[in-house]
Amino acid sequence: MNLLTIFILLNIANVVGSTIRSLCTINCNKWVASLVNSVYFGFYTVVIVYTLCDLPLLMKAGVVALCNLVGVFIVKFIQEKLRKDRLWKIELTVKNRRADELAADLSEIEIPYNYVDAGPHTIFNIYCATQKESAMVKTLVERYHAKYFVTETKLL
């Protein structure tokens, strides 16, 4: 195999490994994060040695840039496809005169909610179990010019 091909393959593996390492460091327990980091940085030593190979500097920079562009995109795409839906709580506030209309819209699309009258405003607590429901509520937020914040459930 020629040097350029080896360099490209090593960099693709490096980018994928680095992205997985970052995700594991943030999202996994300390044992998994430690194991993934140790394997990645052991492999990274090989990448560093090949970075010193006899290829033109601009070619190496271009390969690294393209591998990062493609590699990170692929890992994040796979991560999004594997992500399980979680319950999201969206708390939003609308003026009282719009509250009945918003409640009717939420009931129509069958998204669970409750609300509290808070003086000149009404506070809605909306519970979205899927990404599709969250997108529908986002449309309502924009339609009603609501102030809102979102909380994601966490695993215990």
Side-chain angles (χ1 to χ4, degrees):
M1 226 188 307
N2 75 27
L3 189 57
L4 179 60
T5 303
I6 293 170
F7 186 71
I8 291 169
L9 293 175
L10 283 173
N11 272 284
I12 290 171
N14 179 52
V15 170
V16 169
S18 175
T19 306
I20 291 170
R21 178 192 64 83
S22 296
L23 294 172
C24 287
T25 299
I26 293 167
N27 298 319
C28 296
N29 67 46
K30 60 188 169 201
W31 293 105
V32 172
S34 298
L35 179 64
V36 170
N37 268 277
S38 66
V39 169
Y40 169 74
F41 280 107
F43 173 76
Y44 184 67
T45 302
V46 175
V47 175
I48 292 297
V49 170
Y50 270 88
T51 301
L52 300 173
C53 69
D54 287 332
L55 290 173
L57 178 60
L58 289 177
M59 181 182 289
K60 287 189 264 189
V63 166
V64 170
L66 286 173
C67 287
N68 272 276
L69 180 70
V70 173
V72 172
F73 181 87
I74 289 170
V75 171
K76 291 297 289 181
F77 180 80
I78 292 168
Q79 179 195 23
E80 288 173 2
K81 292 298 178 191
L82 294 176
R83 182 182 311 160
K84 295 178 182 174
D85 282 329
R86 292 189 180 174
L87 181 66
W88 291 82
K89 177 184 175 190
I90 302 170
E91 188 170 325
L92 62 87
T93 304
V94 295
K95 295 194 184 277
N96 283 343
R97 61 183 164 75
R98 306 285 318 263
D100 289 338
E101 189 180 346
L102 176 57
D105 286 344
L106 288 167
S107 295
E108 183 179 321
I109 57 178
E110 299 179 346
I111 295 179
Y113 69 93
N114 61 42
Y115 61 91
V116 177
D117 184 12
H121 295 90
T122 301
I123 301 169
F124 281 80
N125 295 300
I126 303 166
Y127 304 94
C128 298
T130 66
Q131 293 175 27
K132 182 180 176 186
E133 288 179 352
S134 297
M136 288 189 286
V137 171
K138 176 68 174 163
T139 301
L140 293 175
V141 163
E142 292 167 357
R143 181 183 311 157
Y144 290 97
H145 306 289
K147 304 291 186 206
Y148 70 99
F149 69 91
V150 180
T151 307
E152 178 186 16
T153 55
K154 299 294 179 192
L155 299 175
L156 296 177

